[in-house]
Amino acid sequence: MAKKRIVMALGHHALGTNLPEQKEAVGATAKVVADFIQEGWQVALVHSNAPQVGMIHTAMNEFGKQHDGYSMAPMSVCSAMSQGYIGYDLQNGIRSEMVRRGIYKPVATILTQVTVDTYDEAFYTPAKTIGRYMTAQEAEEEEAKGNYVVEEPGKGFRRIVASPKPVAIVEIDAIKALMDADQIVIACGGGGIPVMEQGCNLKGASAIIEKDLASGLLAKEIDADVLMILTSVDNVTLHYKTENQKPIYHMTVEEAKIFVQEGHFELASMLPKITASLDFIENGKGRKAVITSLAKARESIAGQAGTTIEP
């Protein structure tokens, strides 16, 4: 009998912000992941990378400015770096936790490229902020390079990049092979390294792919049974942050679509999670999505917590 497959999308709270925080957070995250593996699930992990890729982008660009002979790093390269260093901590943390439990399985991080459409409208309306705050002069220099900058009153200027939709996962065959071999896979970190097809070549895009949408695409491609999106809240809610806030414990696909139309979900936070869940469920049979916090993951898979979306 085939094992059930789950894609677990780890949010910021499962990873921390800086190196010490990440080490500590990964220890707690590894315990939850190991629980699922011990219970017989095949697990693929996708992680966020917003603080990490911002740190890398800032560090590389500042170094390039101050030292002759060194160039600044494009977003695609910074994304690749973040996949490596987050994956390193995650795979070692999970391996250690499994060994302590007498489970001996390989854990591998796949440096994952995700193609995007060159003509995606998101490239004309960038929305993801990246890097440190800049002065007005530095902002002008960025704009002179063709980059987009936004001002945050009282704080300064920040660069913003596009967030195009993921089209295809370049390394999907390698990921499938590892999953079929019953190994634990960390892939599509930070939404994947955004690339555009140009003839025989893949060219890095100055963009950040929404991690939840990439998670949904990965779950579809490996024919997972469950897409679990782990975030900072225990449940999806209606009327979020109002006196009428109401948690949702179960939604059908049709109910979720109605809530989307009514504008209940924030554009940059909960909406991508709902969108990814619906796309995943509607493109297969017997699938469900769960949105909850890391602390409630085990209860949620049993339907005792979190928000479950089913046909």
Side-chain angles (χ1 to χ4, degrees), residues 50-66 72 75 128-139 141-142 145 148-152 155-160:
Q52 291 87 350
V53 77
M55 177 182 66
I56 292 167
H57 181 263
T58 299
M60 294 298 293
N61 286 359
E62 293 300 316
F63 189 84
K65 285 180 182 178
Q66 296 176 25
M72 299 179 190
M75 280 304 305
K128 291 275 189 181
T129 55
I130 188 73
R132 65 169 176 80
Y133 288 100
M134 299 178 287
T135 64
Q137 181 179 345
E138 289 173 324
E141 292 172 358
E142 285 296 321
K145 299 174 190 174
Y148 291 89
V149 175
V150 64
E151 181 178 7
E152 295 185 27
K155 294 183 177 181
F157 299 82
R158 292 185 77 186
R159 185 179 168 191
I160 54 173

Side-chain angles (χ1 to χ4, degrees), residues 128 210-213 229-233 236-237 240-241 264-277 291:
K128 291 275 189 181
E210 175 58 58
K211 174 260 303 175
D212 297 317
L213 297 182
I229 300 177
L230 299 170
T231 184
S232 59
V233 295
V236 178
T237 59
Y240 185 56
K241 289 186 177 179
H264 282 286
F265 307 125
E266 292 184 325
L267 181 64
S269 56
M270 189 55 71
L271 184 58
K273 296 170 174 57
I274 300 295
T275 301
S277 298
I291 302 174

Side-chain angles (χ1 to χ4, degrees), residues 111-174:
L111 200 65
T112 317
Q113 301 173 96
V114 175
T115 58
V116 297
D117 185 350
T118 307
Y119 301 103
D120 192 309
E121 291 183 3
F123 284 111
Y124 304 100
T125 54
K128 291 275 189 181
T129 55
I130 188 73
R132 65 169 176 80
Y133 288 100
M134 299 178 287
T135 64
Q137 181 179 345
E138 289 173 324
E140 287 181 7
E141 292 172 358
E142 285 296 321
E143 289 180 325
K145 299 174 190 174
N147 296 324
Y148 291 89
V149 175
V150 64
E151 181 178 7
E152 295 185 27
K155 294 183 177 181
F157 299 82
R158 292 185 77 186
R159 185 179 168 191
I160 54 173
V161 296
S163 183
K165 294 178 181 178
V167 174
I169 299 168
V170 177
E171 289 76 19
I172 191 60
D173 288 340

